[in-house]
Amino acid sequence: LASDAPALLGMSFESSVQAEEALQSWTARSGSANLLGAIRLGLNLATDATDIVVLTDHAPPADIDLGPRVRWIALGEAAPNIGFTGAARSTTGQPSAIVELTNFSEQTASRAIIVETPGTEPRTQAVSLDPGQTARYRLPISPETEVTLRLDPPDTLEADDVLTLVPEDIRPVSVDIRAAGEAITQAAERWLDADPDATRSAVSTPELLITDDLEPAPAGAWPIRIVAPVGTPNAYSGPFIINRDHELAEGLDLTGLIWATDLGDELPAPPAGIGQRSDPILVLANTTVIEHRRDAVGNRETLLSIDFDRSNLEDHIAWPVLLANAARQRRAARPGPVVANSRIGQPVRISGPPDSTDPIIITDPSGQTRTLRLTEADFTPPLPGRYTVAIGPRSFPLSALPIAPAESDLSEARTLSVEPEAVEGVASAVTTRNIAWLLAILAAIALAVHGLLVSGIYRRGGSV
């Protein structure tokens, strides 16, 4: 199966009946088709005598040499199509659904977008698109409401005429500040005032904890620890090395940063259970001054080795960027899918609660279930529609949107068959193998005749 990533429908079949039974479970509903990758997979698994047959709906790329073993069969028909090519929920300003429509035809098209929400009468918005036009529309909806959007009337490809948007978890990350240093407290409060995705909260278990001590954090709270140097700190303007592969370093700019620390210090040992994995985020003159630690069940902490009062970090852009990255990372680790509305074929990270041993149970739109015995996993929805993710007593919605502009464009669909071309090297190789077998058979016959002659001579008392 080509899909987004080529995969086998089955290892091998001893009869056409077995192959047909396996095909009954397959539907062409992926958001894309990696046909060239699937051909390579087939060639790698095949023998020299195996033919590869490609089934699709369009002609092969003009610049691709399929080789002598690949037959391309297209079963498609060019047709006009209008479909959803983008969708998302917006929480800025008036809560709404933002959808994108594209007219893949050579004629002006008129449609109605039907907005269906539970317990209310459907609403209708008329739209008109010019040939080849892509347009975006904002449809007011409640942030807590699941909504289904339909195009009326449906057209040739009905798969991109309907989609469901489920509510997103838009709660800001809860943050508590427990710092003795006044400068740290004020700098953290200024960040909270400016970042709408984080909020000050005095709950017993905040999601993020900004602190300047080494006390163990409550379960589920990810501390950001400002650790004062033990020795005599000095101020440095570099050289800095940033671990750009880590999500905490995204967008980090250190231009003009003054960092005060003792380069002879080592970061304190992690509390029990933390530190099974440690990643340097910022290195100053071969000394790690920002480190990120995590344990096996997903708890994390970030340590900054810095004299906060002698540095300019609180007034530097690196401070709010680092905290915003930490808040985004913490939100992504909330139980359930990291996003509630995703595109079909796009991996979605699913996390369980801290210290949870419950499996992740996913029910797809057809009612089939899949169990992932992991506390954190990436799941790629194979079908469009609404999924349910259950972790222990909690359940979460997940919608896989049928958003695939390349698949919605039916203008290049064709019905044709491209036969493999004969290649001299392959033909001569087959001929050589046949001659070799013929010579081997003749040699065996000669040896058998020789053996019979020798036996007859011995029986008559002769010698050889």
Side-chain angles (χ1 to χ4, degrees):
L1 306 180
S3 190
D4 297 275
L8 297 176
L9 182 62
M11 289 304 297
S12 63
F13 305 111
E14 297 180 356
S15 68
S16 60
V17 174
Q18 291 181 351
E20 290 172 0
E21 290 175 350
L23 284 168
Q24 294 301 317
S25 63
W26 170 75
T27 56
R29 303 296 295 275
S30 297
S32 63
N34 184 3
L35 286 174
L36 297 182
I39 292 172
R40 285 193 292 269
L41 176 62
L43 291 172
N44 288 336
L45 296 175
T47 67
D48 289 343
T50 304
D51 291 333
I52 306 294
V53 179
V54 180
L55 298 179
T56 183
D57 65 353
H58 60 274
D63 57 346
I64 296 298
D65 180 10
L66 297 176
R69 294 161 55 193
V70 178
R71 180 184 179 190
W72 188 287
I73 299 177
L75 304 170
E77 182 179 351
N81 183 53
I82 294 88
F84 290 111
T85 51
R89 297 184 78 119
S90 174
T91 57
T92 59
Q94 183 181 13
S96 57
I98 300 176
V99 296
E100 178 184 273
L101 284 177
T102 301
N103 180 6
F104 296 101
S105 73
E106 298 179 355
Q107 305 293 330
T108 299
S110 296
R111 289 289 189 277
I113 303 177
I114 310 298
V115 182
E116 302 174 353
T117 55
T120 63
E121 289 294 322
R123 293 181 286 123
T124 301
Q125 178 168 329
V127 298
S128 179
L129 294 94
D130 294 330
Q133 180 186 3
T134 296
R136 292 178 179 86
Y137 303 92
R138 182 183 289 269
L139 309 170
I141 58 172
S142 169
E144 297 86 14
T145 302
E146 183 173 314
V147 60
T148 298
L149 306 175
R150 301 180 187 276
L151 290 182
D152 186 55
D155 53 17
T156 306
L157 185 64
E158 296 187 15
D160 60 5
D161 290 340
V162 57
L163 53 83
T164 298
L165 292 169
V166 298
E168 295 274 6
D169 184 357
I170 60 174
R171 296 171 298 149
V173 173
S174 62
V175 182
D176 195 10
I177 306 169
R178 304 177 189 175
E182 187 66 24
I184 296 173
T185 300
Q186 292 177 356
E189 288 176 342
R190 285 198 297 272
W191 164 62
L192 287 172
D193 290 339
D195 194 334
D197 293 328
T199 184
R200 181 75 180 268
S201 175
V203 296
S204 59
T205 307
E207 293 176 290
L208 277 184
L209 174 63
I210 301 175
T211 181
D212 57 2
D213 62 39
L214 297 176
E215 293 296 320
W222 292 7
I224 300 174
R225 302 187 188 277
I226 290 84
V227 181
V230 176
T232 303
N234 292 302
Y236 302 92
S237 59
F240 296 108
I241 299 175
I242 304 174
N243 179 6
R244 291 295 184 190
D245 293 332
H246 200 282
E247 54 192 326
L248 283 183
E250 183 176 342
L252 208 58
D253 183 358
L254 305 184
T255 304
L257 177 63
I258 303 298
W259 194 283
T261 190
D262 182 354
L263 296 180
D265 273 2
E266 292 185 1
L267 287 168
I274 300 290
Q276 295 185 20
R277 174 179 170 184
S278 298
D279 297 314
I281 306 300
L282 184 64
V283 176
L284 168 63
N286 295 325
T287 298
T288 299
V289 293
I290 301 182
E291 184 173 89
H292 182 254
R293 298 168 174 173
R294 64 181 299 174
D295 66 7
V297 295
N299 293 310
R300 309 189 187 193
E301 69 173 16
T302 304
L303 280 77
L304 287 72
S305 176
I306 186 172
D307 185 328
F308 210 80
D309 294 324
R310 298 186 61 183
S311 306
N312 68 347
L313 180 61
E314 64 176 299
D315 298 318
H316 195 276
I317 187 63
W319 172 250
V321 169
L322 179 67
L323 295 182
N325 288 344
R328 185 174 63 253
Q329 183 188 62
R330 182 63 187 89
R331 170 181 282 186
R334 284 174 174 169
V338 65
V339 293
N341 298 285
S342 182
R343 180 181 63 82
I344 182 175
Q346 179 175 328
V348 178
R349 174 57 57 92
I350 301 175
S351 301
D355 303 325
S356 171
T357 58
D358 293 315
I360 300 171
I361 302 175
I362 302 170
T363 305
D364 69 21
S366 69
Q368 299 293 319
T369 61
R370 177 181 313 191
T371 300
L372 307 177
R373 301 193 178 280
L374 300 167
T375 58
E376 189 177 67
D378 287 330
F379 170 68
T380 302
L383 298 173
R386 190 187 191 282
Y387 293 72
T388 299
V389 178
I391 308 173
R394 302 182 63 182
S395 64
F396 309 87
L398 171 63
S399 180
L401 305 175
I403 302 300
E407 297 296 311
S408 293
D409 185 359
L410 304 179
S411 61
E412 298 298 324
R414 298 287 185 273
T415 293
L416 54 86
S417 177
V418 179
E419 301 294 333
E421 298 180 1
V423 178
E424 290 186 8
V426 175
S428 63
V430 173
T431 302
T432 301
R433 284 200 301 269
N434 292 342
I435 293 175
W437 277 107
L438 179 60
L439 292 176
I441 293 172
L442 292 175
I445 293 173
L447 288 173
V449 172
H450 180 266
L452 291 173
L453 292 174
V454 170
S455 298
I457 293 173
Y458 278 121
R459 284 197 300 271
R460 292 193 298 269
S463 63
V464 178

